[in-house]
Amino acid sequence: MKKCALAMLALLLTACSSGDDNKSYYQLPSPPLTTVQSNTGQEQGNRQLWVEQVSVPDYLAGNGVVYQTSDVQYVIANNNLWASPLDQQLRNTLVANLSNQLPGWVVASQPLGSEQDTLNVTVTGFHGRYDGRVIVSGEWLLKHQGRLIKRPFHIELKQQQDGYDNMVKMLAQGWQQEAVSIAAELNRLP
């Protein structure tokens, strides 16, 4: 009887401990920053952009990667987690992507001075969906020379393969596409 109880206890402990071993952590890939941009920026008058904030709703702010299972239901993963807070990852990759897209600009996550443009982004969707698509949506608000410019965005991309790895890569691709759109808008400013 003791052997059976010990075997059951060992099996139970093994089952409980193996749950932690199956966790995966994800970080959005970021393009490398180049040093040429800051030199170019100095020559062209240092146009400055402060990415003040990227905010996410509560359902995206947790550790778990989010997956939409139906029109009205979302699942927050327990074993597929963000390696660092999603809002920080989104802000850091946005700064990196905008820096690469805006030669002649200094783009930073810290205030730069009184003549800077200020960008705030609210992300309302950053998740995979049951139909094999990823959703990147929200709106951004730019303060430029006392003027406010507000633009919504909604990007849907088809996943090439199943799985969280591919989903995170496609989410990053969608976020990069939005950075390209923001950069195009900034380049049109006087």
Side-chain angles (χ1 to χ4, degrees):
M1 184 74 169
K2 281 186 176 182
K3 287 182 183 181
C4 184
L6 285 174
M8 292 295 280
L9 180 62
L11 183 61
L12 181 63
L13 289 174
T14 304
C16 290
S17 67
S18 66
D20 290 342
D21 295 339
N22 294 329
K23 291 188 186 299
S24 297
Y25 295 89
Y26 296 94
Q27 189 78 23
L28 296 175
S30 183
L33 290 176
T34 60
T35 55
V36 175
Q37 288 143 5
S38 59
N39 294 337
T40 306
Q42 289 172 355
E43 293 166 8
Q44 295 181 2
N46 264 348
R47 294 188 75 176
Q48 300 175 346
L49 177 65
W50 173 27
V51 180
E52 183 177 17
Q53 182 178 358
V54 175
S55 60
V56 295
D58 288 345
Y59 85 100
L60 292 174
N63 290 343
V65 177
V66 174
Y67 183 77
Q68 183 179 359
T69 58
S70 74
D71 290 346
V72 295
Q73 187 175 24
Y74 294 79
V75 173
I76 301 171
N78 290 322
N79 291 326
N80 294 287
L81 308 170
W82 294 114
S84 61
L86 182 59
D87 58 343
Q88 289 177 10
Q89 289 190 51
L90 291 170
R91 186 177 182 201
N92 292 341
T93 55
L94 182 60
V95 168
N97 284 320
L98 288 174
S99 294
N100 286 341
Q101 292 293 318
L102 294 168
W105 287 70
V106 176
V107 181
S109 58
Q110 300 294 321
L112 298 164
S114 60
E115 298 299 317
Q116 69 197 4
D117 290 337
T118 304
L119 179 67
N120 284 283
V121 184
T122 301
V123 174
T124 56
F126 198 80
H127 58 275
R129 195 168 67 186
Y130 58 90
D131 60 359
R133 296 188 171 277
V134 298
I135 308 300
V136 178
S137 62
E139 65 183 17
W140 52 266
L141 182 66
L142 176 72
K143 184 177 180 186
H144 172 70
Q145 298 176 348
R147 220 175 87 204
L148 293 176
I149 302 167
K150 182 178 176 180
R151 299 282 186 270
F153 60 91
H154 183 88
I155 298 169
E156 291 186 25
L157 298 174
K158 180 118 178 90
Q159 277 188 243
Q160 303 305 310
Q161 300 170 352
D162 289 340
Y164 280 92
D165 285 9
N166 189 259
M167 184 174 82
V168 169
K169 288 175 186 173
M170 294 306 294
L171 286 166
Q173 183 179 330
W175 188 236
Q176 183 177 16
Q177 281 184 17
E178 186 51 33
V180 169
S181 295
I182 294 170
E185 190 85 23
L186 288 166
N187 278 325
R188 285 193 287 269
L189 295 174

